[in-house]
Amino acid sequence: MTMVLASTAFDVSSQSNFVAYWGQSSAGSQKSLGEYCGDSSIDVIVMAFLYQFPNTKLDLSANCRSTFPGSELLHCPDVAADIKKCQSQGKAVILSMGGAAGAYGFSSDDDGRKYADTVWDMFLGGSGSQRPFDDAVLDGVDLDIEGGSTAGYAAYVAQLRSHFEASSDKKYYITGAPQCPFPDAMLGSTLNSAWFDMVFVQFYNNFCGLDAYPQGFNFGQWDTWAKSQSANKNVKLYIGAPGSQSAAGRGYVDASTINSIASDIRSKYTSFGGVMTWDASQAFDASSWGQSVSSALKSGGSKKRALEPLQGRFISTRSANVTAGAMQVKLELVEGSDVYISDTENTFGFHVRIQSADQPIRQGWELHIPLPVGVSVAQASAQAHNIRVHDNTLVVVDGSSINENMAFAFRVAGQHIGNEFGLPDPAKIMLYTTA
């Protein structure tokens, strides 16, 4: 058998990739792999699942039912043809191992290494006697480990990597799909010790999911892991999202919301690689959720235009008049008698008033207010506004316009606040508008 080593145009370093799981027909029915690959929205398809190992068993729902003679191992010539079609269109096709249901796992590192050899021969660049997808060569392997033992996976990845390095024919990828609580209970130690190219964090069915954005959404914690603990410091992290309301128990958000979240995360974290969805049958239905999210990623999302740093000065009332770029914007930070200040409760409040002198700032803006050095803000609130704390900066996000006069009150709480807090320096405040 002559292997078909299709080369792909997929760019793992991009921040605009859209990844879709395929194979389980979670919506009740699904198109063929080839049909989904005809959609330019998708950059990577993850085939689900190799649900039993090391005694290999595949399940691709109704997409493949035939088996090798005298065996339970699927033999899928039609899927093989679709894999090659996908790769010819510049898409990467990866096989996912594990899933929420199945009997899988290793008892030792040696088991992991041996099974890596098996996977190399059955699905990748090796030469096994029974290959479920014939001469089609997949682009890598995904670990969606949600049960069983944690043993052997790092050794498994290392052994696969040794095959990758010995083969110069094409680029292969290792990906993982942990749950968002950090560290992941099943993959945590493997993620720390093995080299992953992409990590599709499942931000759903958990307290840290998309429905907890911004306060409870913990992409920043994963970014810290990527840059400080991961074996690959350039690993790309993906926001894993349900493709529809019925795709997960919780965590679904509509396309407009996830586009806004992805734009925010992309602007803050260089580890961001794009969005992953479970699954193609849900995301690419009549709602066109997948197409909308992919389109926003590829257009740069809600692209921010940074205005010039606000130039202002303190006056005796602890206010400041400022100018932002070509727009005349009056910004005042006011500490007044109606603002809550408490030494005992470690809280501090202040008002911010913004006035656009010549033209309104339309259709969305962000205000970034650096906090004084030495304080640690644990909580922040501003009535009727979306506010979070990131890198000791208060970030206020609003989709409305700044018209003649807008005012809002902050209350912050944490360590070393109280009367020692003082007003933030208005000269360091940044105002952003969305293009």
Side-chain angles (χ1 to χ4, degrees):
M1 182 183 295
T2 302
M3 301 301 168
V4 178
L5 299 172
S7 80
T8 72
F10 167 66
D11 179 8
V12 71
S13 67
S14 172
Q15 288 191 302
S16 60
N17 286 320
F18 188 86
V19 178
Y21 277 74
W22 170 89
Q24 289 301 297
S25 302
S26 71
S29 63
Q30 66 183 355
K31 300 175 186 176
S32 70
L33 177 63
E35 289 179 277
Y36 285 114
C37 282
D39 192 320
S40 61
S41 303
I42 301 175
D43 301 290
V44 181
I45 286 192
V46 185
M47 297 169 52
F49 286 106
L50 198 174
Y51 74 100
Q52 185 169 313
F53 57 85
N55 179 25
T56 304
K57 287 188 179 181
L58 287 164
D59 178 14
L60 297 176
S61 189
N63 297 280
C64 180
R65 297 296 194 192
S66 61
T67 61
F68 287 101
S71 170
E72 294 183 355
L73 181 64
L74 291 182
H75 181 211
C76 314
D78 291 341
V79 176
D82 283 348
I83 291 169
K84 288 181 274 188
K85 176 183 176 180
C86 295
Q87 292 171 331
S88 72
Q89 296 178 356
K91 304 178 192 299
V93 185
I94 292 170
L95 178 63
S96 185
M97 299 172 55
Y104 54 81
F106 306 124
S107 60
S108 66
D109 286 352
D110 190 51
D111 280 350
R113 283 188 285 267
K114 288 178 180 177
Y115 195 64
D117 294 338
T118 298
V119 167
W120 175 253
D121 284 337
M122 292 182 70
F123 302 103
L124 303 172
S127 54
S129 59
Q130 290 185 329
R131 292 177 59 90
F133 309 121
D134 294 333
D135 61 348
V137 178
L138 293 172
D139 296 295
V141 174
D142 172 64
L143 294 180
D144 180 13
I145 308 304
E146 302 185 30
S149 168
T150 62
Y153 289 106
Y156 168 83
V157 172
Q159 183 69 4
L160 271 184
R161 287 279 175 200
S162 70
H163 287 296
F164 297 172
E165 292 166 5
S167 173
S168 60
D169 295 312
K170 64 178 289 178
K171 172 70 175 176
Y172 295 96
Y173 305 99
I174 298 290
T175 69
Q179 309 286 317
C180 62
F182 184 87
D184 182 77
M186 299 306 304
L187 273 181
S189 60
T190 303
L191 288 168
N192 286 342
S193 57
W195 184 285
F196 284 78
D197 299 286
M198 295 172 279
V199 173
F200 311 135
V201 184
Q202 298 181 45
F203 286 107
Y204 49 92
N205 291 335
N206 266 301
F207 62 88
C208 43
L210 287 159
D211 54 341
Y213 176 87
Q215 285 86 358
F217 186 69
N218 69 335
F219 191 98
Q221 194 172 23
W222 282 97
D223 175 78
T224 299
W225 165 81
K227 293 171 181 174
S228 62
Q229 293 178 266
S230 172
N232 174 14
K233 298 302 187 291
N234 293 314
V235 63
K236 285 297 182 182
L237 301 177
Y238 286 66
I239 296 175
S244 74
Q245 189 76 52
S246 61
R250 62 176 289 188
Y252 171 75
V253 295
D254 61 28
S256 176
T257 300
I258 194 171
N259 291 343
S260 176
I261 293 172
S263 177
D264 175 45
I265 296 301
R266 182 177 188 167
S267 71
K268 292 178 171 64
Y269 303 108
T270 57
S271 64
F272 176 76
V275 171
M276 172 276 282
T277 189
W278 176 268
D279 67 349
S281 68
Q282 305 262 9
F284 291 88
D285 60 6
S287 71
S288 299
W289 183 95
Q291 288 92 337
S292 175
V293 175
S294 177
S295 177
L297 283 170
K298 288 167 176 51
S299 66
S302 300
K303 206 170 182 179
K304 291 189 176 70
R305 172 171 58 90
L307 305 178
E308 295 177 8
L310 303 181
Q311 301 299 317
R313 61 184 180 86
F314 283 115
I315 56 179
S316 58
T317 60
R318 307 184 90 183
S319 303
N321 296 322
V322 300
T323 301
M327 290 182 293
Q328 300 300 311
V329 178
K330 182 179 181 181
L331 177 73
E332 294 181 313
L333 282 74
V334 181
E335 177 187 349
S337 59
D338 58 337
V339 177
Y340 186 81
I341 303 173
S342 169
D343 273 327
T344 58
E345 296 185 21
N346 268 330
T347 58
F348 182 88
F350 61 97
H351 286 168
V352 173
R353 289 200 289 265
I354 303 175
Q355 180 178 356
S356 182
D358 56 350
Q359 58 180 317
I361 301 173
R362 301 185 183 278
Q363 301 296 312
W365 51 270
E366 287 191 10
L367 194 66
H368 291 213
I369 306 176
L371 299 174
V373 176
V375 304
S376 177
V377 172
Q379 297 177 348
S381 61
Q383 187 174 5
H385 291 275
N386 183 350
I387 180 172
R388 64 183 181 277
V389 181
H390 174 70
D391 288 343
N392 215 42
T393 298
L394 291 178
V395 181
V396 187
V397 182
D398 199 298
S400 63
S401 303
I402 299 176
N403 295 308
E404 294 182 0
N405 193 15
M406 177 175 286
F408 43 93
F410 286 105
R411 180 178 294 180
V412 295
Q415 296 179 353
H416 310 298
I417 296 183
N419 284 335
E420 298 178 2
F421 183 88
L423 286 171
D425 182 356
K428 296 179 180 179
I429 292 174
M430 291 292 292
L431 176 66
Y432 297 83
T433 60
T434 54

